[in-house]
Amino acid sequence: MSTAPNSYPSLCSSPPLPRTPNSPLMPISLCKQISTKNVKSLKLSIRVGNSGPGKRSVLIVRASADNGAEEKAEEGENKYEEYEVEIEQPYGLKFVKGRDGATYIDAIAPGGSADKTKMFSVGDKVLATSAVFGTEMWPAAEYGRTMYTIRQRIGPLLMKMEKRYGKMDDAGELTEKEIIRAERNSGIVSGKLREIQMQNYLRKKEQKETRERELREGLQLYKSAKYEEALEKFESVLGSKPELDEASIASYNVACCYSKLNQIQAGISALRDAMQSGYEDFKRIRSDPDLENVRKSEEFEPLMKNFDESFINENALNAIKSLFGFNKK
């Protein structure tokens, strides 16, 4: 069994997933205080891990510029229309778990399959997806189960979506930041600002406690060889806006789970996510028995070469020694 680095316990990687309903928190609607006119896009350039190839991720967060449609949605007219779209890997979508436990679009990668359709918007809710294989559609009732299906999907992914006009269930963090920034720029610290700051603090504290609990629960399930149930816990952590160290640990353990289930493509995907989030115990990755099946993949070594700079440097040094006869006896 593999172990998590530093302050976290061993968190690694059998089947139906438990159906444990989440207890939603009531979001505080603050959207009407901010005008969304002429908002086109907000670009986020996210740097993760060390420098080197394959380690830069750029995502675009798009806000809805259709104020009329948004106002109709608020008033209950034409509320949350649905649409279907089929995409190919790489999907170019980042997902987040809402307070209701459902799956929402958190970011869209430029140039990806989803971006090219021009249909997705940040905040849209996933209602159903293609099954792991075949043409059957599975409802997206729980975040962990939905991610499990998306990662393992064989062939094009058909998604049934609900247009939310940028109104995500996880309480509109961008709107709160805009309110805080506006009040600070005006030099006025009102009671509303203090209230928002306290709400943010309490929410983040609660989210962190929940993530830590789910990591521990995932570990116990993994130790009991309940890999699919452990997957839901680890995926839930990843959907709850984790810090980079939490994301790297959870992703690594997702990769271990998929390796144990012999779901190689999904394991490679999760392992890539782990290293992009900063997981750097490359010796463990190359020796962990829980990743044995993943290491058999033809994609494993090319993936490692994108991240394991020490391994690349060691190979280069050995090549130089060989060239000049230093390795000869």
Side-chain angles (χ1 to χ4, degrees), residues 251-263:
S251 293
Y252 182 83
N253 286 282
V254 167
C256 290
C257 289
Y258 280 123
S259 181
K260 284 289 191 180
L261 294 168
N262 204 30
Q263 299 290 342

Side-chain angles (χ1 to χ4, degrees), residues 152-209:
Q152 295 191 85
R153 170 64 183 170
I154 299 173
L157 175 69
L158 178 63
M159 304 182 73
K160 183 176 181 180
M161 306 293 300
E162 183 178 79
K163 182 67 68 176
R164 304 281 292 188
Y165 307 104
K167 294 182 175 298
M168 294 175 61
D169 183 70
D170 65 343
E173 189 173 330
L174 269 178
T175 300
E176 294 179 359
K177 287 182 178 179
E178 290 294 337
I179 292 174
I180 292 173
R181 186 179 298 114
E183 294 217 14
R184 283 177 176 167
N185 289 342
S186 68
I188 301 173
V189 180
S190 69
K192 174 60 70 175
L193 172 58
R194 293 190 181 93
E195 179 184 342
I196 292 172
Q197 289 174 327
M198 179 58 67
Q199 290 168 353
N200 283 339
Y201 169 76
L202 293 175
R203 183 175 64 213
K204 289 178 180 178
K205 181 180 178 182
E206 182 179 6
Q207 287 176 338
K208 185 172 182 62
E209 291 172 350

Side-chain angles (χ1 to χ4, degrees), residues 220-276:
Q220 293 302 316
L221 290 167
Y222 184 87
K223 287 181 176 179
S224 300
K226 297 178 180 179
Y227 303 122
E228 290 193 359
E229 294 180 26
L231 264 174
E232 178 164 339
K233 296 296 182 182
F234 296 137
E235 290 282 18
S236 181
V237 171
L238 292 173
S240 303
K241 296 186 179 295
E243 298 172 3
L244 280 180
D245 58 342
E246 296 172 327
S248 67
I249 293 167
S251 293
Y252 182 83
N253 286 282
V254 167
C256 290
C257 289
Y258 280 123
S259 181
K260 284 289 191 180
L261 294 168
N262 204 30
Q263 299 290 342
I264 306 306
Q265 193 60 45
I268 288 289
S269 171
L271 188 58
R272 180 184 294 108
D273 290 346
M275 290 187 286
Q276 285 180 335

Side-chain angles (χ1 to χ4, degrees), residues 28-39 42 63-67 70-71 74 165-167 171-185 192 196:
I28 298 176
S29 176
L30 298 168
C31 299
K32 292 184 178 180
Q33 300 184 41
I34 297 296
S35 172
T36 57
K37 288 186 178 180
N38 302 321
V39 176
L42 299 172
S64 172
D66 189 350
N67 288 341
E70 184 175 339
E71 288 173 3
E74 289 178 358
Y165 307 104
K167 294 182 175 298
E173 189 173 330
L174 269 178
T175 300
E176 294 179 359
K177 287 182 178 179
E178 290 294 337
I179 292 174
I180 292 173
R181 186 179 298 114
E183 294 217 14
R184 283 177 176 167
N185 289 342
K192 174 60 70 175
I196 292 172

